[in-house]
Every structure is written in structure tokens, then in C-alpha cells.
């Protein structure tokens, strides 16, 4: 006789609900990226305003992952997931009806808050609900959703924005979100019965430290790493210090706040008081080394998504929809991997290692294939290979990281895992963005040494200025320079991913097992 709880654990319905909820969050972020030109034209936003439309979402999302992950452990993970959906949907309505840049930015802040409630809870519920082979399958589905939807987003975004308008990038969340909200009734509740109490100093320090760190990494290119690139304005307010960039101050604040967070949490733990950051998690080898590998992976994985849409649209003249079709082949590989992982019968760390090796090979192959004369399908087989690697690595890294974590701490551990990925994405933006800009600068100087103004325009726009170049010789030189820079970024991406393979050598052989409750 199978108990009701066992039947619930064997059901795939909760996984479907969690997967669709995650899909909505991921697709929304990528659709907004595609919608930026239409938003600028309709609301008459400045470049700074529209930059904040994207950045503020990432900041609010990253800042709250750790405290809200712990809050889900305390008050219930299903409850937190559902509450996050409500916040995200309300913010989507506000964004879709926004009549000004300020209102849209406020809506994006609220969307980030909702996303930070939803995303870690998906992992936490999976970690506490599924065991054995079903756990491997569940994480394979989760990884496929993460990688596949990130690649499909530009395609769906191009279609929605082109045929229906940018506001539908937000309206489309309502029917999906309401169905997911209804589906949460089929997701079992779980929490940490031993958790309780508040940790106000920990919450404040984690929010300030994470926000400052992610802000510095994301905005370094825009504001200048040490000296300002122009007039620095933070949310429309002028930076008061002339000749000094705000980025070093952001990094200094991050260091102070995060060091203070570790010291405060350690003292509170010794005193037996509630904490939002349980440092004992880092004593678990799978969590410690898995976190290091996850950050390296996310830095590398951002490479192709960062540069290929720019190259295909700016240099090759593809429309957003056509570029999305090419990138969608990556999603095809990711979904293919999701079906293969459960059948391989390999240890999760081995699957991660294989995935990273495939990603590295795919990235380098894409770089070697990039050229101004390539055909529209030249990159597709290598993007499929890369996508299979993403599906393997992204699917099983959370499985490895959380294998030794007690189910009662799933929310906190999932929040930390998501924060590590978000931090890796921010590092990827900073590092690979700098590689792209430097590559454009060098290539333009080599190919058009007599026209520094044109080279500067191409560099500062990350290649977006190329379609506006009328002189055929100069246009050809700029396209070739963009191909050179794109090739450089993809090769660096491959090297970073190879470093990720090295990091997986430190992972213990968990075999997908988790540590039992103490």
C-alpha cells in the first residue's frame, strides 16, 4: 500500500508547476532585452534610463536571494513560491501599463523581488521532494529549463515585440502566472521546523553587500572602473564626485558589508541565535566545491549569449527574430540533454564534467566558425553541441551542490546557489564584456588606423553602430573587426569552461545522495 505522501513524492506534477514558473521568470528577462529599442522609442527614455530598466531587475533579484531563501525555510517553501508569483504578476501589470520610465523602473524592482522569491524555492522544493533516480530526472528538467529558456527567450521576444508590441512582454506573464499559481495547490509544503526568529543585521548586511557587488560588476563598463566615462547618474541623480567613478566605492562597500556579514553570522551562530547565512553549509565539500564550479560555469556560459546576438544582428544584418532562430538551436541541444541525462546512469559529477567539456568544445568551435562570410546555418551544429553541454552541466551542478545539504536547509542552500549563479553572470558581463570591447578596439585600430572616431563609435556601441556605416570599405572593416572580437570572446569562454572542468575534479562522489537530517 503506497501512502499519500509517497504518491505525492512520485508525482511529476509539482515539477511541471515549478518548471513553468521558472520558465516565466527566465523568458521575461530575455524578452525585455529584445524589447529595449521599442521601450526607448515609446517612453522616450534616455540610454541611462533604459540601462536601469535592465540593471535594476538584476540588482533587486540578486540582493534578496539569500534572505528570501532562508525565509522560505522558515515559513514554507510553497508559500514563498506562491507569494513570489503574486508579486511578480502584480509587477508585470504595473510594467505593462507604465506610462513613464520611472514607473517602469519601479515595476522592474518589484519583478526582481518576485523572482528572488520564486527561483530559489524551485530548487528547494525539488531538493526536499525527490530522491534517487527521480531526483536526477528532476534536476535534469530544471537544468534544461534554465539553459533552454535563456536561449529561446530572444526568439520569443522578437516575435512578441514585433507582432504585438513591447507591453506584451509583460502582459504575457498573466495567463502563465495564474495557471502556475493554481498549480501550486498540487505542490507539497515543506519547511525547517527548527528554524525561527529573525536576523535583521544579517538581512541588512547581505542585501547591502550583494547589491553593491553586483552593481559594481554590472555597471563597471558604463560608469568607468576608476575614472568616469561621462557624467555618472545613479537613477537620474548626478554622482557628486567629479573625476571619480562610483564603482570603486561600490566594491569597497561590498567588501566591508560581506566581511561584516560573515563575522556577524559566525557570532550569532555561536550564541545559538537565528542566522540567515549558515556558514556550516560551506563545510560540506559538495556544496563548497560545487559552488566554485557553478560560478566558473556561469561566467563562461554567459559568453555566447552575450556576443552572438550582437554579432548576428549588427555585423551580419540579421533581424532579432532571425538571430533568435540561430540561438534557439542552443535550446534544442539543452532540451536534448535533459532527456539523455537520466538514461546515462552516471554519477552527477561525471555528467557535470562531460557537460563542461562539451561546452568548452562548442564555444571554441563557434569561435573558429565565426566569419563575415559564414552562412546562416554555419553555427547551428556547434550551438547544439554547446547546448547539450549546458543541459548536462546546468542540470546536475545543483544536484551535486545540494546532495549533502539537509532537506531542512534547502531554501537557504538554494538561495546561496542562485546567488552564486547570479554573481557568476555579473562577473561574466564584466569580464567578457571587457574582452569584447577591447577586441573591437584592437581590431578597428588594425583595420582602420586612419579613422579613430569610427573605431571609437563601434567600440562604445559594442558593434551596434555597424549597420549605420555607409562607406562599403569601412563597413566591411567593421564587420571583420566584429568577427575578430566575437571570436576572441568565444575562445576565452572556452578557456573559462575548461577551468570549470578542473574545478569539478574537487567534487566528491555524491552519487546523487543527500546527507540525512541530523
Amino acid at each position: 500500500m503506497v501512502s499519500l505522501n509517497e504518491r505525492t513524492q512520485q508525482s511529476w506534477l509539482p515539477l511541471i508547476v515549478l518548471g513553468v514558473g521558472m520558465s516565466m521568470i527566465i523568458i521575461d528577462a530575455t524578452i525585455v532585452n529584445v524589447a529595449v529599442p521599442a521601450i526607448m522609442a515609446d517612453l522616450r527614455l534616455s540610454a541611462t534610463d533604459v540601462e536601469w530598466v535592465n540593471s535594476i531587475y538584476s540588482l533587486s533579484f540578486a540582493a534578496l536571494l539569500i534572505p528570501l531563501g532562508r525565509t522560505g525555510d522558515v515559513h514554507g517553501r510553497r508559500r514563498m513560491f506562491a507569494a513570489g508569483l503574486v508579486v511578480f504578476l502584480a509587477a508585470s501589470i504595473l510594467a505593462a501599463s507604465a506610462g513613464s520610465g520611472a514607473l517602469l523602473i519601479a515595476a522592474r524592482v518589484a519583478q526582481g523581488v518576485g523572482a528572488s522569491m520564486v527561483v530559489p524555492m524551485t530548487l528547494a522544493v525539488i531538493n526536499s521532494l525527490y530522491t534517487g533516480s527521480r531526483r536526477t530526472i528532476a534536476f535534469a528538467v530544471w537544468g534544461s529549463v534554465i539553459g533552454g529558456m535563456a536561449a529561446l527567450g530572444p526568439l520569443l521576444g522578437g516575435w512578441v515585440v514585433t507582432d504585438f508590441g513591447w507591453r506584451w512582454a509583460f502582459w504575457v506573464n498573466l495567463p502563465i502566472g495564474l495557471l502556475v499559481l493554481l498549480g501550486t495547490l498540487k505542490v507539497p509544503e515543506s519547511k525547517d521546523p527548527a528554524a525561527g526568529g529573525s536576523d535583521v543585521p544579517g538581512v541588512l548586511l547581505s542585501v547591502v553587500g550583494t547589491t553593491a557587488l553586483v552593481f559594481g560588476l554590472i555597471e563597471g563598463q558604463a560608469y568607468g572602473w576608476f575614472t568616469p566615462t561621462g557624467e555618472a547618474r545613479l537613477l537620474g541623480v548626478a554622482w557628486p564626485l567629479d573625476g571619480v567613478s562610483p564603482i570603486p566605492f561600490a566594491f569597497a562597500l561590498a567588501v566591508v558589508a560581506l566581511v561584516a556579514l560573515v563575522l556577524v553570522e559566525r557570532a550569532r551562530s555561536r550564541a545559538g541565535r537565528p542566522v540567515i547565512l549558515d556558514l556550516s553549509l560551506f563545510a560540506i565539500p559538495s556544496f563548497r566545491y560545487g559552488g566554485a564550479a557553478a560560478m566558473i560555469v556561469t561566467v563562461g556560459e554567459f559568453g555566447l549569449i552575450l556576443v552572438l546576438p550582437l554579432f548576428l544582428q549588427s555585423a551580419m544584418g540579421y533581424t532579432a527574430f532571425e538571430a533568435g532562430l540561430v540561438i534557439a538551436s542552443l535550446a534544442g541541444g539543452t532540451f536534448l540533454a535533459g532527456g539523455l541525462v537520466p538514461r546515462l546512469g552516471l554519477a552527477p559529477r561525471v555528467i557535470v564534467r562531460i557537460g563542461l567539456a562539451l561546452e568548452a568544445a562548442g564555444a571554441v568551435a563557434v569561435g573558429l566558425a565565426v566569419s563575415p562570410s559564414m552562412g546562416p546555418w554555419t553555427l547551428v551544429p556547434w550551438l547544439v553541441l554547446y547546448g547539450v553541454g549546458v543541459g548536462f552541466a546546468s542540470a546536475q551542478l545543483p544536484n551535486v551542490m545540494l546532495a549533502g545539504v539537509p532537506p531542512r536547509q534547502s531554501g537557504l542552500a538554494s538561495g546561496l546557489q542562485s546567488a552564486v549563479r547570479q554573481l557568476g553572470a555579473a562577473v561574466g558581463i564584466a569580464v567578457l564584456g571587457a574582452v569584447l570591447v577591447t577586441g573591437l578596439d584592437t581590431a578597428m585600430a588594425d583595420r582602420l588606423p586612419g579613422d579613430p572616431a569610427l573605431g571609437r563609435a563601434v567600440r562604445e556601441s559594442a558593434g551596434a553602430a555597424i549597420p549605420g556605416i555607409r562607406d562599403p570599405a569601412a563597413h566591411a572593416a567593421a564587420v571583420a573587426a566584429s568577427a575578430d572580437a566575437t571570436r576572441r570572446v568565444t575562445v576565452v569562454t572556452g578557456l573559462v569552461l575548461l577551468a570549470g572542468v578542473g574545478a569539478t575534479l574537487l567534487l566528491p562522489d555524491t552519487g546523487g545522495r543527500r546527507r540525512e537530517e541530523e
Side-chain angles (χ1 to χ4, degrees), residues 13 44 48 101 315 381 402 500:
L13 185 57
R44 298 179 181 176
T48 301
L402 301 180

Side-chain angles (χ1 to χ4, degrees), residues 59-83:
L59 289 173
S60 60
F61 177 42
L64 296 171
L65 283 167
I66 295 175
L68 290 179
R70 185 56 176 163
T71 302
D73 285 338
V74 175
H75 297 291
R77 296 164 190 134
R78 182 184 69 176
R79 184 178 301 174
M80 178 64 72
F81 179 80

